[in-house]
Amino acid sequence: MSNETANTSGRPSGRSLDQIREVSIETRVNKHAEGSCLIRFGDTHVLCTATIDDSTPPWLRNSGKGWVTAEYGMLPRSTHGRMNREAARGKQSGRTQEIQRLIGRSLRAVTDMTGFGERQIKIDCDVLQADGGTRTASITGGFVALHLAFQKLVAQGVIETVPLIDNVAAISCGLFEGKAVADLDYDEDSNAGADANFVLTGGLGVVEIQGTAEDKPFTRAEFNELLDLAEGAIKVLVEKQNQALGL
């Protein structure tokens, strides 16, 4: 009898339908940044750093509010073949701009903008290695880096409490060979019949959902399956975040 476990899910990785990849979050990996972590979703690795700027964008001056923004980028050999740096091309792609705006929106959704003065926190998400789900890993790791930056302000006596009202994390779910699956890797994402990115709070409030049918329209029932998978995955990710933060 073979010792190998039969792949009953049909997924290339052999994972069960609701099983996410192995996730690890290593904190304080950059000694210069006010907050940093290296987050790994299987073979997708993203370095997230948070920088505190003691000034706000011009439109927020004298408002008593701060701001959280994000930048996102992929290293040249983060993918199978080398890609040119966007800086060398002189402009960011539409994909990059869309992703970094998503990261910023997601983090601001759980941040009390009046709780850290007129400061700006800049989150940088650099993809070291990509195997699907780079934007969702960036959001999940970006929250940890942001939390650590706020912890530093608390430790310095600048603010009294961390101005975050909840966790936020993200996961991709999709239809692969007719089945709803959680946490698509590249092999699944590139062949999915539908793909959706779910950004949810720790309390499972919806921040944003990006869903696309790649083959044929999917049904409300199939969407509900994807949302159920996402909620289960977010609970796991929030626990991972809290463990990394020592909460």
Side-chain angles (χ1 to χ4, degrees):
M1 181 181 293
S2 171
N3 291 325
E4 295 182 3
T5 301
N7 181 3
T8 58
S9 69
R11 304 185 71 173
S13 64
R15 288 183 282 138
S16 61
L17 300 179
D18 63 348
Q19 184 180 1
I20 67 175
R21 290 170 287 180
E22 183 176 350
V23 176
S24 67
I25 306 174
E26 181 183 358
T27 60
R28 298 177 175 87
V29 295
N30 184 308
K31 72 176 183 179
H32 301 296
E34 284 78 14
S36 66
C37 76
L38 175 60
I39 186 166
R40 299 180 177 92
F41 272 66
D43 286 335
T44 289
H45 303 167
V46 184
L47 173 65
C48 302
T49 58
T51 301
I52 301 172
D53 186 344
D54 287 327
S55 62
T56 58
W59 71 88
L60 283 175
R61 287 174 186 163
N62 302 317
S63 68
K65 296 181 179 179
W67 189 247
V68 176
T69 188
E71 292 188 13
Y72 165 96
M74 299 182 69
L75 295 187
R77 277 317 306 267
S78 59
T79 57
H80 296 291
R82 186 186 187 279
M83 65 176 71
N84 291 328
R85 297 179 190 273
E86 291 187 331
R89 297 201 300 265
K91 65 176 182 178
Q92 292 180 317
S93 68
R95 174 183 179 275
T96 294
Q97 294 181 53
E98 184 265 323
I99 291 175
Q100 60 192 26
R101 288 169 182 161
L102 170 65
I103 299 167
R105 288 195 303 273
S106 300
L107 297 176
R108 289 193 296 272
V110 295
T111 304
D112 175 7
M113 294 300 172
T114 64
F116 56 106
E118 292 191 11
R119 295 177 177 85
Q120 183 170 201
I121 313 289
K122 298 179 180 178
I123 307 297
D124 287 292
C125 300
D126 293 291
V127 179
L128 309 181
Q129 183 172 283
D131 186 40
T134 62
R135 72 183 66 195
T136 53
S138 295
I139 292 168
T140 305
F143 172 82
V144 173
L146 178 62
H147 200 294
L148 289 169
F150 282 140
Q151 285 182 13
K152 186 161 188 175
L153 288 177
V154 172
Q156 293 172 339
V158 176
I159 58 177
E160 294 184 0
T161 59
V162 171
L164 291 166
I165 60 176
D166 203 346
N167 291 55
V168 67
I171 195 74
S172 65
C173 299
L175 299 176
F176 179 75
E177 296 187 351
K179 298 177 181 178
V181 299
D183 191 19
L184 304 174
D185 56 28
Y186 178 79
D187 288 339
E188 294 171 330
D189 186 44
S190 58
N191 294 286
D195 179 15
N197 297 306
F198 294 86
V199 184
L200 306 178
T201 67
L204 302 182
V206 175
V207 174
E208 189 155 340
I209 298 173
Q210 301 176 326
T212 305
E214 304 291 348
D215 182 15
K216 61 182 179 180
F218 54 94
T219 66
R220 172 66 177 272
E222 289 172 324
F223 173 79
N224 289 341
E225 285 187 78
L226 298 180
L227 180 56
D228 287 342
L229 288 173
E231 289 183 343
I234 294 297
K235 291 178 182 178
V236 174
L237 295 177
V238 167
E239 184 176 350
K240 292 280 188 181
Q241 288 174 327
N242 290 342
Q243 287 174 352
L245 291 165
L247 301 177

